Amino acid sequence: MATDRSGIHLWIVGGGVAGMAAAAFAIRDGQVPSANIHIVEELGLSGGSMDGARSPAVADAFVTRGGRMFEEKAYQTTWDLFPRSA
Ligand SMILES: Cc1cc2nc3c(=O)[nH]c(=O)nc-3n(C[C@H](O)[C@H](O)[C@H](O)COP(=O)(O)OP(=O)(O)OC[C@H]3O[C@@H](n4cnc5c(N)ncnc54)[C@H](O)[C@@H]3O)c2cc1C
């Protein structure tokens, strides 16, 4: 019998990648309704240390501030949240 999760509310403090990943996994794996997920962020911009903005040059693309590395062992926050092979 499926569990009714319509009354579950999840409050996440911090709109960085950790908070947003928690929300994404709660939706996918916990079947928490997305409308019931509340991310509390004290800044006016989402993303925390990975904040970004819509690219002024490329449609539907976002850019992050600072230098970013794509190095497997140390830095992975810019990788896909849900790998296509999973
Ligand atoms: C310049 C720079 C370059 C980087 N380059 C890379 C890279 O190339 N690759 C990589 O993988 N990582 C990189 N990192 C590291 C990566 O950005 C961080 O590890 C990651 O963003 C941390 O995410 P987080 O959600 O844990 O924390 P944060 O991004 O710090 O998010 C926490 C959020 O919580 C909010 N918050 C905190 N307390 C409260 C409260 N009480 N109430 C409400 N809101 C609150 C904060 O305002 C913030 O928005 C880089 C970091 C910097 C600064």
Side-chain angles (χ1 to χ4, degrees), residues 3-12 19-20 22-39:
T3 303
D4 178 13
R5 294 185 164 88
S6 62
I8 294 176
H9 283 257
L10 182 61
W11 292 84
I12 298 170
M20 289 196 262
F25 286 119
I27 294 168
R28 188 192 70 172
D29 299 338
Q31 285 83 52
V32 177
S34 58
N36 293 3
I37 295 180
H38 316 276
I39 299 179

Side-chain angles (χ1 to χ4, degrees), residues 12-21 39-43 45-51 64-71 74-79:
I12 298 170
V13 178
V17 290
M20 289 196 262
I39 299 179
V40 180
E41 171 54 57
E42 64 185 352
L43 302 178
L45 183 64
S46 297
S49 296
M50 291 287 286
D51 66 351
T64 58
R65 288 188 298 172
R68 299 290 165 180
M69 292 176 282
F70 294 91
E71 200 268 297
Y75 295 106
Q76 300 195 1
T77 61
T78 48
W79 289 30

